[in-house]
Amino acid sequence: MDETRRPTLIASVQRALHLMEVVASHPSGAPAKQLAREAGLPLATAYHLLRTLAYEGYAMRLPDGVWVLGDRVQSLHGRSRTQQLLARVRPTLIALRDELGVACYFGMHVDDEIRLIDIADGPRAPRVDVWVGFDESAHATALGKCMLSQLDDERLRDYLSRHPLVDLTPNTITERTRLLSTLTSPCGLSLDRDEYALGTGCAAVPVTDATGTAIGALAISCRTGKLPRIEKSADRMHARAAELQRTLTLTATG
């Protein structure tokens, strides 16, 4: 197959995208006639495209007759930021996965909740079966405990008041006082031994932003018996967490 062959382009899609660019160039909006002229389109074509874009939520006609971008564009923009984040984070997760032979996870604080952002796993490094969401089982996972340790007393009390310490395995810590005592680690490594799933151990290190403020965690999961070897590799996890910090700084300023 000739890979250098020009792709088949859909002219109507090109016209619609170009028209959206023209609409976006007018922060206060512009009438259809002006948009058609600037886009180099017949007025009738511009009207048809604008109506279609409006129907799908990508454009909107204001009461004074001018056209602006629709709410759906902002939704797409928000999702694109998430995709940009994943594109920059995943190489670091994959690198750590291949170094240690374990599944790797990245989580962040989002709207006062603990959110799992991305996972890098594979046939030789399968992910843990997420049968209870990480946001509802922070007390039972290394990633969650690492992120709970980043909260101040008020935010921690608020979080725990909204998320009961559910018993997931016989090893799950369900007593608040005992849980709080496990959140501090001198080497910055949070652990979970069969607390979320029997036969599975996890380790996590904090991820900070450019100011040094912890905003998330980098974690791994493995067979429980492999966890002591992972503990000895904490320096590798911290190095990869530093990579993520640089990545997050680029994403925030990019």
Side-chain angles (χ1 to χ4, degrees):
M1 181 177 178
D2 183 6
E3 296 293 340
T4 63
R5 208 170 42 176
R6 291 187 62 186
T8 300
L9 303 179
I10 309 301
S12 59
V13 175
Q14 289 181 303
R15 288 192 291 267
L17 291 173
H18 182 47
L19 184 58
M20 286 183 65
E21 291 177 348
V22 174
V23 174
S25 70
H26 295 277
S28 299
K33 288 183 180 179
Q34 181 179 353
L35 296 173
R37 183 174 63 255
E38 294 180 8
L41 296 172
L43 182 57
T45 301
Y47 269 125
H48 286 306
L49 291 174
L50 288 169
R51 290 190 184 110
T52 302
L53 291 170
Y55 180 81
E56 297 293 340
Y58 294 104
M60 180 170 55
R61 187 174 184 271
L62 300 183
D64 60 356
V66 301
W67 288 85
V68 296
L69 293 178
D71 294 336
R72 202 164 184 184
V73 174
Q74 183 62 35
S75 175
L76 278 182
H77 177 68
R79 294 174 187 174
S80 71
R81 294 290 293 178
T82 300
Q83 291 177 343
Q84 291 172 28
L85 175 63
L86 293 180
R88 289 178 168 174
V89 164
R90 190 162 297 170
T92 299
L93 298 187
I94 291 174
L96 185 61
R97 178 200 67 188
D98 295 343
E99 283 178 7
L100 302 181
V102 295
C104 298
Y105 310 77
F106 174 57
M108 292 183 71
H109 293 284
V110 180
D111 297 329
D112 291 325
E113 295 293 344
I114 292 173
R115 301 300 187 198
L116 181 61
I117 303 299
D118 199 14
I119 303 175
D121 61 352
R124 297 184 179 180
R127 69 180 67 185
V128 64
D129 181 15
V130 185
W131 65 283
V132 176
F134 278 79
D135 53 338
E136 296 297 331
S137 57
H139 65 293
T141 66
L143 182 144
K145 287 192 279 188
C146 183
M147 294 176 67
L148 288 177
S149 71
Q150 300 166 14
L151 302 177
D152 59 34
D153 290 343
E154 182 178 352
R155 292 176 66 198
L156 180 57
R157 285 196 301 271
D158 173 69
Y159 187 92
L160 294 178
S161 71
R162 294 183 288 106
H163 299 83
L165 305 184
V166 180
D167 188 0
L168 302 179
T169 77
N171 298 304
T172 304
I173 298 174
T174 57
E175 300 172 2
R176 179 177 295 199
T177 301
R178 185 182 168 202
L179 173 65
L180 295 178
S181 70
T182 67
L183 297 184
T184 57
S185 171
C187 63
L189 188 68
S190 298
L191 299 171
D192 124 46
R193 296 180 175 88
D194 299 313
E195 297 169 42
Y196 178 81
L198 291 177
T200 299
C202 299
V205 295
V207 175
T208 62
D209 61 15
T211 68
T213 302
I215 57 171
L218 171 64
I220 63 90
S221 68
C222 61
R223 297 187 309 277
T224 308
K226 191 177 181 179
L227 199 54
R229 183 169 72 81
I230 296 298
E231 291 184 66
K232 296 178 181 179
S233 302
D235 57 335
R236 294 189 185 182
M237 294 185 65
H238 283 295
R240 294 299 181 182
E243 281 186 18
L244 288 177
Q245 182 261 306
R246 291 190 291 272
T247 293
L248 294 173
T249 301
L250 289 173
T251 302
T253 58

